[in-house]
Structures are given as C-alpha cells and as structure tokens.
Amino acid sequence: MKKSIYEKMTAKYQKPLLKTLEEFMAINSAYDEETVSEKDPFGIGVSTALNYVADLAKKDGFNVNVYDNKVVEILYGSGKKNLVIMAHADVVPAGTGWNQPPFKLVEKKGVLYGRGVSDDKGPLLATYYAMKALRDNGLLGGYQIRFLVGGNEERGSSCMEHYFQVLKKPQPTLGFSPDSDFPLIFAEKGIINFELSHKLNVPGLISIKGGLASNAVIERCEVKFELNNDFLNFIMKHFHRDEAEIHTEDDVTTVVFHGKAAHGAHPELGVNAGTRAILALAEYTKDPILVQLKKMFVNTDGSGFGCKGISKEMGHNTSNVGIVRFENGVISVTTNFRYVDTCDKKQLLEAIKENTKPFTLKIVGDCKLLYYPKDSLLISTLLKSYQEETGDYKTQPLAIGGGTYAKEADNVVAFGMQFPGWESNMHSPGEAVRKEDLFKGMSIYARAIVDLGKLLKDED
C-alpha cells in the first residue's frame, strides 16, 4: 500500500516518540495508596507521570494546564467548537510473571514490551505526536483542540469526573480516546463495581490476600493458615503444584494459589487465583459464608448473584473478582461486573442487593452503558479515517466489555490503538505493542484529527 501523506508527515516523529515513551514508561504510575495526599490524589507516581506529560507539551510550545494533579489539559486553537482527545497516564500494577523489568521499555524483534506500552502510554504518545505533526505543518485551526491526560482511568476515572463535573469544563463537540481497539468501539458495557463483606470465623484461618485492582483477574492469592495437616493434605490432593504451592514456617502454613492474569472485561480468558482460593476454603471448611461466595463467583457470567444477561451485539454479562481480603475477622470481595444493553441497571442493582444477603454491600463505582449507532457521523467518520489509512475495509466497529474514557464525556468513542489480530496483553505480564503499529497509529490519528476537524468547520 502506497504511503499516505500522514505516514510521510509523521515519519520524522518516530524517533522522538520512542525516546519519550522510554522515559514515560520508566515512571511507575500505578495508583499508590501509601503516597496518596491532597497534593498527590492518586499517589506520587501518577503525579510524576502527569507532570512529565505537562512538561513535554510545554517544551513543545503548547498551552498547558494541570488541574490538581488529576488531569493535564493540552490546548491548541480557540473557538466554541472543540475536538477532545482523552488518554491516561496511569497504569495497572505490574504484577508478577514478567520476563524483563516491567517499567523498562524493551524491544525484541520489532515488538515493544513494558507496563503501559499499549495501555495507555504508547497510544497516548502516538496521538500526541500526531497532533504535534499537524500543528507543525499548519494543519490545525478553526476550532479548539483539547488533549486531556488523566491519572485515574484504571480505578474509575474520577480524574475526568473532576474535570467535567467539578471544574465544569465544556463537553466535547466531537472526540475520541485512543484506549481500546481498531477500527473503533461503538458500544461499551455498563459497569458496576461492588464490594461484599462479612464477618468470618474459621478456626485456624489467619489471612487472605489476593488482587490489586477490581478490573484485573487475580493471578496470585495468598492464604495463611495455622499449621494443619488435614488442610495440607486437602490442598495436595485437590490442586497441582502449578495451581497451589505450600510453604510452612513457625507453625504457619502459607498456600499461594496461582492463576492467569487477564483484563477484568474478559475474566473467562484468565484463571482467577482469588476464586480458586475461595473454592478451596469453601470445600475444606464447609463454612456457609465461604460456600455462598463460591456459589456467587464460581461462574463469570453474573448468574451466581442473579444477573445473567445476553445481547446480540454486546455479548453477555461478565463478573470478575478483582480483590479478596480476609483480615481482622472480616472477609471482603471486590467485584467488577459488566452488563449488556438488554439489562436494566436499576433491576441489576436490586438483584445484586437481594442475592448477596447477608453480606454487607457497598457500590464502589459504576459507569454507564455506551452505545452509538454505527451510521452516526462520529462513528462513520472515524471508521473511514481508519480504513483509508490502513486499507482494511473488512473489520467492523466493535462492542466491548471494557470501559473507557468515552463514558466520561459527550460525543466521544474509543478509537484504537490495538490492531485486529494482535493481542497486547493489557493488564497482564508481557504487555506489548508492535513498533510498526505504534507508527501506523500516529498516521491514523493524524488523519482522524483532520477529518473530525473538517466536520467542526463544516458546522460553522
């Protein structure tokens, strides 16, 4: 396929992109509760990452605002009509199982590896340099472009809630978020995050600790138990060594349950070490609270708490146990539940409330369901931008289980940057992006900005 004018234009920004990405990814920008403060609402690492982006944009001559270390706003142009790009600087925790340091950019055979390389630091910078290339070549103007970089997308997007709802910033006229798949997303499942807790009295059980974020399948769950030969024999009888490993020290048995990490939107693609631990303890102890937890979460379709649902366009409901804790005599389970367009949110909440008794229920976050008709102007324009830049006229717009920034603003959809046929391992060890895809992403985003800009001008 002949190189487009946008490929030629963005080619000279490839080296700066890679150099910037290397520096950007070296910042561990996972939410850090230990360093959260009024100054650093999501932890020092996230603030550092946000200010790195702000300094980059200032150096490149853009107008920049940093709002409370929650959102960076990069501005160019003016006018009532605005094009908004929404990306995020925070990442999920690195977890274990990496073949290299997770916060170091590593290239192997044209593939770039590291936490955040595909979610969302690589796509963020591909879009940023696309915008910069257009600016440098005099192809921006006639409308305002706002590039928003948030610091809390992985934990509920309170950053964008702060920007749009608290600070009352203008809603987008049109926009996109480079934080999902190509060609683009026309529908996203609704999300309800909830925590269940209950007192638990199991003789010998000391603690349970598994998971770091509700939207990731737990890959490791640690259970501490007073030394008990019956419990040890049960574990050895029912679990292989790669599923559960046993350590004993000072009359304490530690059983480490292993799973397979995956994005919380697709729990069926992983193996949940947290639910594996609950299953083991429920089977061994027969405790009614643990048995109920097992019944609620042994399946990943929400049927365990009366919330099964199916849609022709959006698939089926999913349920992911993301955090399991037992401490101070209380067990708690945090769940990431996603629902399709055939379900009613109010009815789902009632079902969760009724079917999780006698647990204490706490709703810890929710995101609305998103749906744009495929023939809408925003969808059709972005799809054409992708098609003309790639030559791929076969792949159709997608409905996904993941929740993106598109839900946090008006007239915004998720647009790339994972290409069809490529698995980026978002939220898992070995997160990766092909270098050629990163460069192709730049040219797609450059064309998309121009194409959306034409719509804004046409509306005047």
Side-chain angles (χ1 to χ4, degrees):
M1 184 176 174
K2 186 178 178 181
K3 282 189 176 182
S4 72
I5 60 170
Y6 298 103
E7 281 184 290
K8 295 175 182 176
M9 183 191 304
T10 57
K12 76 173 189 177
Y13 297 87
Q14 292 176 1
K15 287 184 178 180
L17 189 160
L18 292 176
K19 181 178 183 299
T20 305
L21 181 59
E22 182 178 19
E23 296 173 352
F24 194 22
M25 284 180 51
I27 303 168
N28 181 350
S29 54
Y31 178 87
D32 180 14
E33 189 172 357
E34 292 186 1
T35 60
V36 165
S37 65
E38 185 175 348
K39 177 187 174 186
D40 303 303
F42 310 129
I44 290 175
V46 174
S47 295
T48 302
L50 289 173
N51 283 282
Y52 177 86
V53 174
D55 290 343
L56 172 70
K58 288 175 185 176
K59 181 186 68 176
D60 287 336
F62 289 100
N63 293 323
V64 179
N65 297 304
V66 181
Y67 295 108
D68 306 311
N69 276 336
K70 292 183 177 181
V71 179
V72 173
E73 177 188 66
I74 303 169
L75 296 169
Y76 185 82
S78 60
K80 292 182 179 180
K81 301 288 174 41
N82 64 83
L83 170 60
V84 172
I85 300 165
M86 303 168 69
H88 64 93
D90 62 312
V91 298
V92 296
T96 60
W98 289 80
N99 293 322
Q100 82 278 334
F103 294 104
K104 180 179 180 180
L105 183 64
V106 173
E107 180 180 351
K108 297 178 182 177
K109 298 180 179 179
V111 178
L112 304 172
Y113 295 89
R115 176 57 84 227
V117 73
S118 63
D119 183 23
D120 189 35
K121 293 179 177 179
L124 185 162
L125 291 177
T127 316
Y128 173 80
Y129 278 104
M131 180 180 72
K132 184 177 187 300
L134 293 173
R135 196 254 345 237
D136 293 350
N137 285 274
L139 295 176
L140 292 181
Y143 57 91
Q144 183 186 68
I145 186 166
R146 279 186 288 155
F147 196 123
L148 306 180
V149 179
N152 187 241
E153 194 274 345
E154 299 292 3
R155 289 178 60 89
S157 301
S158 65
C159 47
M160 292 303 167
E161 180 182 357
H162 182 74
Y163 183 83
F164 287 110
Q165 306 304 323
V166 178
L167 300 179
K168 305 293 184 182
K169 295 296 181 177
Q171 288 288 338
T173 308
L174 293 172
F176 65 85
S177 176
D179 189 24
S180 191
D181 295 81
F182 280 131
L184 77 161
I185 311 303
F186 75 95
E188 298 181 13
K189 292 178 181 178
I191 302 176
I192 302 173
N193 291 318
F194 63 92
E195 179 186 89
L196 300 177
S197 60
H198 200 283
K199 290 183 179 179
L200 182 65
N201 183 17
V202 173
L205 180 61
I206 299 171
S207 66
I208 305 173
K209 186 176 182 180
L212 297 168
S214 64
N215 61 351
V217 175
I218 301 172
E219 64 175 339
R220 184 181 189 276
C221 186
E222 181 182 277
V223 176
K224 289 187 179 294
F225 217 98
E226 291 179 3
L227 189 60
N228 181 319
N229 289 332
D230 289 339
F231 181 56
L232 293 177
N233 291 333
F234 175 85
I235 296 298
M236 289 186 287
K237 180 180 179 180
H238 291 89
F239 295 91
H240 297 294
R241 287 184 178 180
D242 60 345
E243 297 174 328
E245 59 178 292
I246 299 171
H247 307 276
T248 58
E249 184 178 356
D250 298 330
D251 294 328
V252 173
T253 298
T254 301
V255 180
V256 178
F257 291 90
H258 296 290
K260 178 185 175 183
H263 196 294
H266 301 286
E268 71 280 1
L269 299 181
V271 177
N272 199 306
T275 54
R276 178 171 275 172
I278 289 171
L279 171 66
L281 290 168
E283 291 290 324
Y284 174 70
T285 67
K286 309 299 182 185
D287 181 89
I289 294 299
L290 291 170
V291 170
Q292 185 177 350
L293 284 174
K294 169 194 165 185
K295 291 179 179 178
M296 286 192 287
F297 299 116
V298 68
N299 295 317
T300 60
D301 61 1
S303 59
F305 44 91
C307 290
K308 188 174 182 179
I310 300 175
S311 162
K312 183 178 180 180
E313 286 193 308
M314 299 187 73
H316 58 85
N317 292 353
T318 63
S319 169
N320 177 65
V321 172
I323 302 173
V324 180
R325 296 284 187 271
F326 173 68
E327 51 193 2
N328 301 319
V330 175
I331 189 166
S332 63
V333 174
T334 303
T335 302
N336 181 250
F337 172 64
R338 302 175 186 237
Y339 61 92
V340 297
D341 58 315
T342 55
C343 296
D344 179 79
K345 180 181 176 182
K346 185 177 180 180
Q347 292 178 355
L348 290 172
L349 288 169
E350 286 297 321
I352 294 171
K353 182 178 179 180
E354 184 64 29
N355 293 308
T356 59
K357 293 178 180 178
F359 286 83
T360 298
L361 170 66
K362 180 181 179 183
I363 304 299
V364 294
D366 68 278
C367 291
K368 65 182 179 181
L369 184 140
L370 180 146
Y371 183 94
Y372 284 91
K374 293 181 183 178
D375 60 356
S376 64
L377 194 59
L378 178 59
I379 297 294
S380 59
T381 300
L382 289 175
L383 179 61
K384 186 179 180 181
S385 301
Y386 166 82
Q387 290 172 337
E388 292 186 349
E389 202 62 27
T390 63
D392 175 14
Y393 290 86
K394 293 183 179 180
T395 309
Q396 294 300 304
L398 305 168
I400 63 168
T404 73
Y405 271 155
K407 292 178 178 177
E408 305 302 321
D410 297 341
N411 308 314
V412 173
V413 295
F415 181 49
M417 196 191 79
Q418 182 170 269
F419 282 81
W422 174 254
E423 177 50 59
S424 63
N425 292 319
M426 290 185 188
H427 293 207
S428 301
E431 183 178 342
V433 66
R434 290 177 295 207
K435 189 163 65 172
E436 64 184 40
D437 288 352
L438 200 64
F439 299 155
K440 174 59 75 173
M442 263 200 298
S443 65
I444 294 171
Y445 291 131
R447 181 184 285 269
I449 291 170
V450 169
D451 289 346
L452 290 179
K454 290 177 181 177
L455 294 179
L456 296 177
K457 292 178 181 179
D458 288 343
E459 290 180 2
D460 290 332

